[in-house]
Amino acid sequence: MSHPVAERAPHSGGIAKSGHRGTKVRRQRVRAAWLFLAPMLVTLAMVAGWPLLRTFYFSFTDASLADTGRAALIGFENYLVYDDGAWYGLLTDPVWWTSVWNTVFFSVTSVSLEVVFGVIVALLLNAEFRGRMLVRAAVLIPWAIPTIVSAKMWAWMLNDQFGIINHLLMMLGIIDAPLAWTADADLSMWAVIMVDVWKTIPFVALLVLAALQMLPSDCYEAAEVDGIHPVKVFFRVTLPLITPALMVAVIFRLLDALRVFDVIYVLTSNSTNTMTMSIYARQQLVEFQDVGYGSAASTLLFLIIALITVLYLYLGRRQLGVDQ
């Protein structure tokens, strides 16, 4: 019985030695990774971390844009304070809560439409047809145009006096009189959503198209042999396989939508009907020159985006079974 034990001893020692070598190599790779990441992390801390900390600090002060050096600490008064029998502060401002609702509505609606139309466009571009490469390049044009440029272009097209959109709709008999797309309280938000969806559909379509081209063909061949309807194949096979790509597209677009500023500001300026949290913070900081109050709005914007992002990633990991 002692002889087999003696035979296995060198083998187990080899395993331990190999495991130690693997651990050492892994540690070297981790150190090398941190070494290469260090310049980027330092730069990120300077250009993003320090301004973020300053914003947090100013949100607890009465700082003014005219002289931020004389700011005095006032605690949570910018957020919520009880004075003379009434509550004051950002959390009691109805315009702030209107901007929060506008931001959430804009984000959910625009991202949902972008995902639906982006998947449709990706499926069309994934099909075999003549001139497919040219169409793929053309589809990316809206995404390549700078946001300010595209927003200004749409502002002229949606103008109620000389915009081409009203002209075409009246020619087709859809409307009888020009519509004030960016001034009407009932239309302005939908006009902004339409412009944002038009611009960002190519981004979602590109990510989904990349996922579609990596799918295995044997699943579709088996489904075709079994005579399964293409719609059923999409929901049972294609959609589950491209879910990781869709999650990446949604999280990037959601982050952009929650902090949206440029497209809405160009189209509707400071209109309360479309005011988002970013526009509200900018108005307090620049126009009203109240750095403390504006910093409090920016801080809440950051916390809301961080909370939604963490929640979405957590639910996404559970849905994909990453934790298991």
Side-chain angles (χ1 to χ4, degrees), residues 149-214:
V149 176
S150 62
K152 196 62 179 178
M153 176 184 69
W154 276 98
W156 284 90
M157 294 172 63
L158 294 171
N159 187 276
D160 58 336
Q161 298 297 324
F162 46 79
I164 191 174
I165 301 298
N166 280 325
H167 179 69
L168 292 176
L169 293 177
M170 292 176 67
M171 285 183 57
L172 297 174
I174 299 177
I175 59 176
D176 298 327
L179 298 176
W181 293 95
T182 58
D184 193 322
D186 297 327
L187 296 175
S188 56
M189 178 58 76
W190 290 106
V192 169
I193 291 174
M194 177 183 66
V195 174
D196 185 71
V197 169
W198 171 83
K199 175 172 175 54
T200 51
I201 281 177
F203 173 75
V204 180
L206 189 64
L207 292 180
V208 176
L209 179 61
L212 289 173
Q213 293 184 337
M214 297 177 62

Side-chain angles (χ1 to χ4, degrees), residues 25 54 95 120 133 168 240 249 266 284 290 314-315 324:
V25 171
R54 290 279 289 177
V95 180
I120 295 174
M133 299 302 297
L168 292 176
V266 171
Q284 301 297 324
D290 193 342
Y314 173 75
L315 295 177
Q324 281 76 24

